Amino acid sequence: MSGADGTAAAPLRERAAAGKRDQDARTVMRLRLGVGVIGILLPLALPAGNWIAARLDGRTGEDAWPGSMSGSYHTSTRDVFVGALCALGIFLIVYRFDRFNDVLGTIAGACALGVALFPTAPGTGGDAGRQTVTVLHQVFAVALLTAMAAFCLFMYRAPGIRERSYVRRPYLVAGVLIPVFMALAAAAAVTEVGDDWLVTPLYLCEWLSVWSFGFAWTGAALSLAADIDRLPRSRAVVGAVLGRLRSLGGLPGRGRTRSRAVV
């Protein structure tokens, strides 16, 4: 009896183990997608939120673009900026891949939390305490971008990813472009080029750096979704939504035909 019971229980254990692996894969996929979405949307959400808040207050919104992404702490989108960085930091800390990338992810996540919790000063001057906080903010910001670039470069050669060019290339591009944008931002700051631009070189370089990181993570999330057969389901949902929107915005003749059929 015991042998028969063990044989019967084996398929149940296998199904339970398979379900756990699928759940773990879905969790990792969503973590990757969360990091990617934050990286893609945040640089645009900050000026858009400032502009909306200005219009609601009766202002023109000409100052919607802060001098840097960190400058958003002193605008109407402070909560968006801090909340997004805290979420990004937690995602990077809890994400696990291999040992070395775990260390880089933890460093990047801790730096993201540091950027959020130690805001830059609204302008020059201030007391010694504020200047110290500003220096800490700048250190965390540089360390965050450096860790992001290193993470992408090492993910480029990570097992399970280096065999897939469509996944590893975005990591390589992000790992190369982030230091380039950091250098361009530093050069613009030294030469004071673009200080009077609507979108300053610093904000533009930060924007492109975060975008590079976000697109790399989004590509990795979509790759994992395809591996666990989640991508076809997502496409089906998106297709159904788009089909519904097309039907709602269809031609009047099509709408009248549908109404007559219902009647």
Side-chain angles (χ1 to χ4, degrees):
M1 293 292 293
S2 60
D5 292 342
T7 303
L12 295 177
R13 288 195 295 268
E14 292 176 359
R15 286 197 296 269
K20 185 179 184 302
R21 287 193 297 269
D22 182 69
Q23 181 183 14
D24 292 343
R26 284 186 283 126
T27 300
V28 173
M29 178 194 70
R30 289 168 181 170
L31 280 173
R32 290 179 177 178
L33 187 60
V35 173
V37 168
I38 290 175
I40 292 172
L41 295 183
L42 182 60
L44 295 176
L46 297 176
N50 291 333
W51 184 84
I52 292 172
R55 298 299 295 174
L56 291 176
D57 290 340
R59 294 180 284 115
T60 61
E62 294 179 353
D63 57 346
W65 290 91
S68 66
M69 291 182 65
S70 299
S72 300
Y73 189 89
H74 304 286
T75 67
S76 302
T77 53
R78 175 182 62 184
D79 295 341
V80 176
F81 175 72
V82 174
L85 279 180
C86 288
L88 179 64
I90 296 300
F91 282 166
L92 291 174
I93 290 173
V94 302
Y95 181 77
R96 291 293 177 262
F97 190 79
D98 59 23
R99 183 175 182 82
F100 192 73
N101 284 286
D102 291 350
V103 173
L104 285 176
T106 301
I107 293 174
C111 290
L113 295 176
V115 172
L117 299 178
F118 294 91
T120 186
T124 59
D127 55 28
R130 173 166 289 182
Q131 292 177 4
T132 301
V133 171
T134 299
V135 171
L136 288 174
H137 174 89
Q138 294 172 347
V139 170
F140 280 125
V142 173
L144 171 60
L145 292 173
T146 303
M148 287 165 55
F151 185 94
C152 290
L153 289 175
F154 281 98
M155 283 295 289
Y156 170 72
R157 300 187 61 84
I161 289 183
R162 60 187 175 193
E163 296 84 2
R164 303 176 181 180
S165 59
Y166 62 93
V167 179
R168 66 194 301 241
R169 284 173 184 168
Y171 276 121
L172 177 63
V173 170
V176 172
L177 287 182
I178 291 175
V180 171
F181 292 138
M182 291 175 64
L184 291 175
V190 171
T191 59
E192 299 182 354
V193 173
D195 287 348
D196 56 343
W197 295 358
L198 176 63
V199 183
T200 65
L202 176 57
Y203 193 99
L204 183 60
C205 290
E206 291 176 337
W207 176 358
L208 296 176
S209 297
V210 175
W211 259 19
S212 301
F213 191 70
F215 279 117
W217 277 74
T218 301
L222 295 178
S223 171
L224 184 55
D227 290 343
I228 61 176
D229 294 329
R230 294 283 166 177
L231 191 57
R233 302 179 191 182
S234 301
R235 287 174 176 169
V237 172
V238 172
V241 172
L242 292 177
R244 180 59 179 169
L245 292 175
R246 283 195 294 266
S247 66
L248 292 176
L251 295 175
R254 293 173 57 189
R256 288 195 297 269
T257 302
R258 187 168 56 249
S259 298
R260 287 196 299 268
V262 172
V263 174

